[in-house]
Amino acid sequence: MRGFKISVLSGKGGTGKTTVSVNLAKVLNNSVYVDCDVEEPNGYLFLNPQIEEEKTVEVIIPEINSDKCTLCGECVKACRFSALTKLIKKILVFDHLCHSCGACFEMCPYDTIIEKYKPIGTIRKGKAQSVDFIDGKLNYGEATGVPILKEINKLIENVDKPVIVDSPPGTSCPVIHSIEGSDLCILVTEPTPYGLHDFDLAVQLVKQRGIPMAAVINKAGEGDNIIEEYCEKEGIKVLAKIPFKKEFAEAYSKGKLLIEVDNEVREIFDKLSTDALELIKK
Amino acid sequence: MKQLAILSGKGGTGKTTAATTLSSIVKNKIMADCDVEAPNLNIILQGEIVEKEDFYGKETAVIDKNKCIECGLCEELCRFNAISNFEVNPYYCEGCGLCMYKCPVEAIKLVEEKTGHVVYAKTKAGEKVVYAELFPGADGSGKLVTQVRKKAVENIGDSEYLIIDGTPGIGCPVLASATGVDLVLIVTEPTLSGFADMKRVLSAIEGFKISSVVCINKWDLNKEVSQQIEKYCEENNIEVVGKINFDETVVKALKNLQSLSEYPDSIVYRQIYEMWLKIKKILDERVESK
Ligand code: SF4
Ligand code: SF4
Ligand code: SF4
Ligand code: SF4
């Protein structure tokens, strides 16, 4: 199958983004599942991949060579993220605030700053039966997972398989990095007023980036019409509705794939994948 | 003022349900919705806006075409690939200023960008809530969380409690939601991912020396994992202050935009009420012993 990229996002965590991503990747077969939710990558709990490769992601942070430093303070002035402070006898680096922008290196008139590599997380590659698996994980307390997302993007740039990206929750900068270059964004939402509110934020974001989109209503049932009316108005196709059942919540809690516990859900996902491919072809 | 932050590691564990229910139980308080990327609290409280303040969350480089001599240095130096063809992509620009410092003809400026609002709202019943409105694509930074908390403190009046509905995840905004509070309530659910997320939040805030308590939401969905969570908490000296049942009432209330307090006879409401009594006791004792 030709390569394409579908990003699954949700505006907010907990709406079923991972559920949709892992089940879709599984149904597509011979696909690549990519977990970009680097703060809490949970896709592996459902796919149980055999990890074949693990790689550390590093960023560059400054290290001041205090023998040569004249304490002129130029670096402190240059840093817009307050990651450097001048003490009486030395320059202190707060590495969790550093954005690795390189300004201090460039601005030091005495060339006293050394580039130090600091690990901020890991990328794992593996296989979950017919699905290729990639996930990124950010170390505790690190400011941003964006460098990990950039590395992941390089890995999936040229694969000629369908790529399903489980995006980070929310609508901020990491989401933009993870959806970049997608052929389709699938927005997962719940039919509640909150769900609609978060969904609307995600829709605006995807619109801004000019990527085609479609919706999936999770925990469908009563109240679906608030999402459906909105989608109609915005011209967004509702690809599927996943019903709300207590068994699903139980299956999820045990790390089971919904398509494997329920035939109805399997049919929903089969249809979802066909319809999604239709949208991409257009 | 006693400050409680509610965290969950991840969205969807029932953090906002806990927050809104607590909001109706605790009378003399102000709420700060620090889930700045998806603020839901005021949707349910339906407060009227009292005050709205612009938030400038970010700086972005802007190139003055008239001055630029197209030397290409800025593009080469920018580590975020934010410049190409002498144009800045605002989504990628981190506002680090390097290009501005280095441009030989001073053609680059950093411009402060308005990325949202900080809003103070009040309901008819007098409930106070502070939250943020963030423009899509803007970053829900720790700075904004700090701003929301600051605004809440400014408007605290004679409220005794500040309840912070924290940011999901474990990144920098979460730390901004939790630093300096008296107690953190972690809302988790008995799923493998819920348990994993809870441990991640606990490690993330470990260095801050804030005491935490745990609430297991929908505990009866998977009693086995619930037990594992309880065991973990016991081993790590963390009190489980609440075990909330899985109850359709919650779904119903959510759909109808109601607080659980409108179902005072429901088991979940009572459970959250009892949980609050425990939290209150801990909070009061902690603050008094300070
Ligand atoms: S700019 Fe260089 S010499 Fe000056 S204080 Fe910084 S590290 Fe030291
Ligand atoms: S690399 Fe950039 S963010 Fe990091 S310390 Fe230097 S100037 Fe500050
Ligand atoms: S460094 Fe300045 S002059 Fe050179 S291309 Fe950039 S903006 Fe233009
Ligand atoms: S301010 Fe920094 S991130 Fe933005 S364009 Fe200039 S060098 Fe790149």
Side-chain angles (χ1 to χ4, degrees), chain A residues 64 68-75 91 107-110 112-113:
Chain A
I64 318 276
K68 275 164 79 187
C69 173
T70 63
L71 291 171
C72 72
E74 285 301 319
C75 54
I91 302 290
M107 297 311 282
C108 173
Y110 305 98
T112 37
I113 306 183

Side-chain angles (χ1 to χ4, degrees), chain B residues 42-235:
Chain B
N42 199 52
I43 301 179
I44 201 158
L45 298 178
Q46 297 185 17
E48 301 266 345
I49 296 174
V50 180
E51 217 185 311
K52 196 170 188 169
E53 196 175 84
D54 289 343
F55 177 72
Y56 291 87
K58 189 182 168 248
E59 289 184 309
T60 307
V62 175
I63 297 179
D64 182 344
K65 286 266 167 209
N66 296 324
K67 284 194 191 159
C68 172
I69 53 167
E70 307 199 342
C71 71
L73 182 65
C74 53
E75 179 170 343
E76 190 190 310
L77 284 174
C78 175
R79 297 201 175 178
F80 305 99
N81 301 326
I83 306 184
S84 67
N85 290 323
F86 321 110
E87 296 265 359
V88 180
N89 176 342
Y91 290 106
Y92 282 21
C93 174
E94 299 246 350
C96 71
L98 178 55
C99 55
M100 173 179 77
Y101 301 140
K102 286 293 185 172
C103 172
V105 293
E106 296 186 6
I108 305 183
K109 263 197 323 209
L110 284 183
V111 176
E112 265 202 312
E113 223 183 298
K114 190 159 111 182
T115 55
H117 303 116
V118 173
V119 184
Y120 170 45
K122 219 168 170 177
T123 63
K124 285 199 191 74
E127 287 200 61
K128 301 186 276 187
V129 55
V130 178
Y131 60 95
E133 281 174 359
L134 207 55
F135 303 151
D139 237 327
S141 63
K143 199 170 137 198
L144 180 53
V145 169
T146 309
Q147 209 56 37
V148 169
R149 283 182 62 180
K150 204 173 129 218
K151 188 111 218 144
V153 173
E154 273 168 25
N155 290 294
I156 188 106
D158 47 14
S159 304
E160 193 179 350
Y161 300 97
L162 167 58
I163 300 182
I164 299 164
D165 189 2
T167 321
I170 53 154
C172 151
V174 177
L175 303 181
S177 310
T179 34
V181 302
D182 301 298
L183 188 69
V184 167
L185 170 68
I186 299 173
V187 181
T188 185
E189 51 180 15
T191 62
L192 294 176
S193 39
F195 189 18
D197 296 339
M198 178 190 99
K199 287 194 241 173
R200 282 173 76 88
V201 194
L202 280 168
S203 336
I205 58 172
E206 203 175 56
F208 290 81
K209 307 236 175 304
I210 314 164
S211 49
S212 317
V213 292
V214 163
C215 161
I216 310 175
N217 193 22
K218 309 179 206 160
W219 76 277
D220 50 342
L221 259 190
N222 189 330
K223 293 189 177 158
E224 210 184 306
V225 179
S226 274
Q227 250 169 22
Q228 287 171 21
I229 295 177
E230 283 186 83
K231 188 158 167 268
Y232 178 90
C233 288
E234 200 185 306
E235 283 165 5

Side-chain angles (χ1 to χ4, degrees), chain A residues 12 39-40 42 78 80 99 101 106 115 137-138 170-173 180 194 197-198 204 208-209 222 253, chain B residues 9-10 35 37 40 44 59 79 91 94-96 101 110 137 139 169-171 193 197 200 222 254-255:
Chain A
K12 183 159 184 163
E39 284 194 22
E40 269 113 14
N42 287 335
R80 308 190 82 84
H99 287 220
C101 69
E106 292 289 336
E115 297 197 339
K137 190 174 193 171
L138 185 66
T171 42
S172 69
C173 174
E180 211 59 61
Y194 298 110
H197 177 257
D198 301 335
Q204 288 180 48
Q208 260 181 25
R209 308 307 290 145
E222 231 181 289
S253 77
Chain B
K10 189 157 191 157
D35 188 353
E37 284 188 23
N40 286 160
I44 201 158
E59 289 184 309
R79 297 201 175 178
Y91 290 106
E94 299 246 350
C96 71
Y101 301 140
L110 284 183
D139 237 327
I170 53 154
S193 39
D197 296 339
R200 282 173 76 88
N222 189 330
L254 274 176
K255 287 202 171 160

